[in-house]
């Protein structure tokens, strides 16, 4: 069995039930998936300030997932919020981010890709991510649709129309061979768009989940993030000596067994 945790990095997420249903349908027969949202904080992370507020809770939730025996975790935000930090705190459990997963997959399915995003506000940070992953030369465009995270599921007809317009322009004008829906709240639209456009349309919920299934399997071969260098874990004895668990809520995830 493979047990995967999907973390929605916002407080009281409205989409958790829908995402759980989507992932359960996409999962392999031997995979179980749990979806959890934070129980406090902002309801989206479109601003850096909001990201900073939720990051400690996300990181401690990741470490708790490893302690509880999950085989992989997905942080459900296309900013790949705290992805590097999460791989630090995880000793060996794979941690997946939607942007990294979808852009890697896109470059195996076509030479160029476009990302359909909600707002222009998101583009600089997402562009930095694409460049960081080494895929800048494959990026055809970002196409904003002028919708915030909480707008996507509010009026599905409007969302579908705007996503279709943006994705069509990406293919016909920007010559994208693959389209990525660049927000986990854009779920539920990729199949019809894909059929109509005739190119792969990667959903930011399903794609990282399937990527997590693969990485969980590869971890059985010992292939997970390296602890030599950038993902080296913080020393548990140092965390204990500084009283981190006493100073920070939800930080009671560090034990001697956590020492890498």
């Amino acid at each position: 069995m493979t047990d995967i945790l999907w973390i929605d990095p916002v407080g009281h997420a409205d989409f958790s039930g829908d995402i759980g249903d989507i992932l359960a349908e996409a999962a392999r027969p031997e995979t179980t998936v749990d979806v959890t949202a934070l129980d406090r904080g902002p309801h989206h992370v479109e601003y850096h300030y909001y990201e900073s507020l939720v990051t400690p809770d996300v990181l401690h939730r990741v470490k708790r997932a490893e302690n509880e025996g999950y085989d992989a975790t997905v942080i459900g935000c296309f900013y790949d919020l705290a992805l590097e930090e999460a791989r630090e705190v995880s000793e060996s459990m794979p941690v997946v981010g939607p942007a990294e997963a979808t852009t890697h997959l896109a470059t195996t399915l076509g030479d160029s890709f476009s990302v359909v995003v909600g707002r222009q506000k998101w583009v600089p940070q997402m562009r930095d991510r694409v460049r960081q992953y080494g895929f800048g030369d494959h990026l055809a465009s970002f196409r904003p649709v002028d919708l915030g995270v909480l707008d996507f599921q509010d009026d599905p007809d409007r969302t579908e129309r705007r996503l279709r317009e943006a994705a069509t322009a990406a293919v016909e004008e920007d010559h994208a061979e693959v389209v990525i829906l660049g927000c986990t709240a854009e779920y539920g639209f990729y199949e019809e768009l894909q059929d109509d456009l005739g190119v792969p349309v990667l959903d930011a919920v399903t794609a990282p989940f399937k990527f997590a299934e693969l990485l969980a399997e590869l971890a059985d071969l010992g292939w997970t993030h390296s602890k030599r260098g950038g993902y080296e874990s913080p020393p548990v004895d140092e965390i204990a000596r500084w009283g981190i668990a006493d100073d920070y809520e939800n930080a009671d995830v560090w034990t001697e067994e956590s020492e890498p």
Side-chain angles (χ1 to χ4, degrees):
M1 293 292 293
T2 300
D3 298 319
I4 296 177
L5 180 66
W6 174 284
I7 300 174
D8 199 325
V10 297
H12 312 286
D14 296 329
F15 308 138
S16 296
D18 292 343
I19 289 174
D21 292 341
I22 291 168
L23 298 184
E25 185 174 348
R28 298 172 184 171
E30 67 276 12
T31 299
T32 62
V33 57
D34 294 317
V35 177
T36 184
L38 303 185
D39 54 11
R40 64 175 182 175
H43 291 209
H44 64 72
V45 288
E46 293 187 46
Y47 298 93
H48 298 293
Y49 173 58
Y50 294 169
E51 286 185 79
S52 299
L53 290 178
V54 305
T55 292
D57 285 349
V58 169
L59 294 177
H60 296 141
R61 188 69 60 91
V62 167
K63 187 60 184 176
R64 194 177 305 280
E66 182 174 42
N67 293 349
E68 293 173 351
Y70 283 95
D71 298 293
T73 294
V74 180
I75 300 174
C77 173
F78 202 85
Y79 283 155
D80 285 1
L81 185 151
L83 182 59
E84 291 81 9
E85 295 89 337
R87 288 173 177 166
E88 265 193 3
V89 302
S90 170
E91 180 179 348
S92 60
M93 178 190 67
V95 185
V96 177
E100 184 183 49
T102 54
T103 53
H104 271 74
L105 290 171
T107 58
T108 70
L109 302 176
D111 181 67
S112 60
F113 62 84
S114 288
V115 186
V116 177
V117 300
R119 300 173 53 222
Q120 181 65 35
K121 159 73 174 172
W122 308 358
V123 172
Q125 188 170 354
M126 291 183 178
R127 183 185 292 116
D128 285 346
R129 276 292 187 184
V130 172
R131 290 171 175 166
Q132 175 186 342
Y133 297 145
F135 300 135
D137 290 343
H138 297 272
L139 177 64
S141 64
F142 282 97
R143 285 280 179 170
V145 296
D146 296 322
L147 293 173
V149 169
L150 301 181
D151 298 325
F152 282 114
Q153 300 298 324
D154 184 55
D155 184 344
D157 290 338
R158 177 188 62 185
T159 298
E160 191 276 336
R161 183 177 66 255
R162 294 194 186 182
L163 292 181
R164 182 180 301 279
E165 292 171 353
T168 300
V171 172
E172 296 183 354
E173 299 175 22
D174 306 328
H175 309 294
E177 298 177 11
V178 179
V179 173
I180 297 172
L181 300 182
C183 179
T184 54
E186 292 180 45
Y187 62 80
F189 300 99
Y190 85 92
E191 291 178 297
E192 187 173 345
L193 291 174
Q194 183 169 264
D195 291 341
D196 292 347
L197 291 173
V199 302
V201 177
L202 300 184
D203 176 77
V205 169
T206 304
F209 172 70
K210 300 304 288 185
F211 205 64
E213 283 187 316
L214 171 62
L215 291 183
E217 183 176 341
L218 294 180
D220 289 338
L221 303 176
W223 297 347
T224 188
H225 47 274
S226 174
K227 287 299 174 180
R228 180 69 64 91
Y231 295 144
E232 178 186 334
S233 295
V236 174
D237 61 345
E238 191 170 73
I239 292 172
R241 189 166 65 251
W242 291 348
I244 298 293
D246 296 328
D247 291 341
Y248 291 84
E249 193 172 358
N250 300 321
D252 57 338
V253 292
W254 299 99
T255 65
E256 292 302 321
E257 289 75 20
S258 302
E259 185 75 61

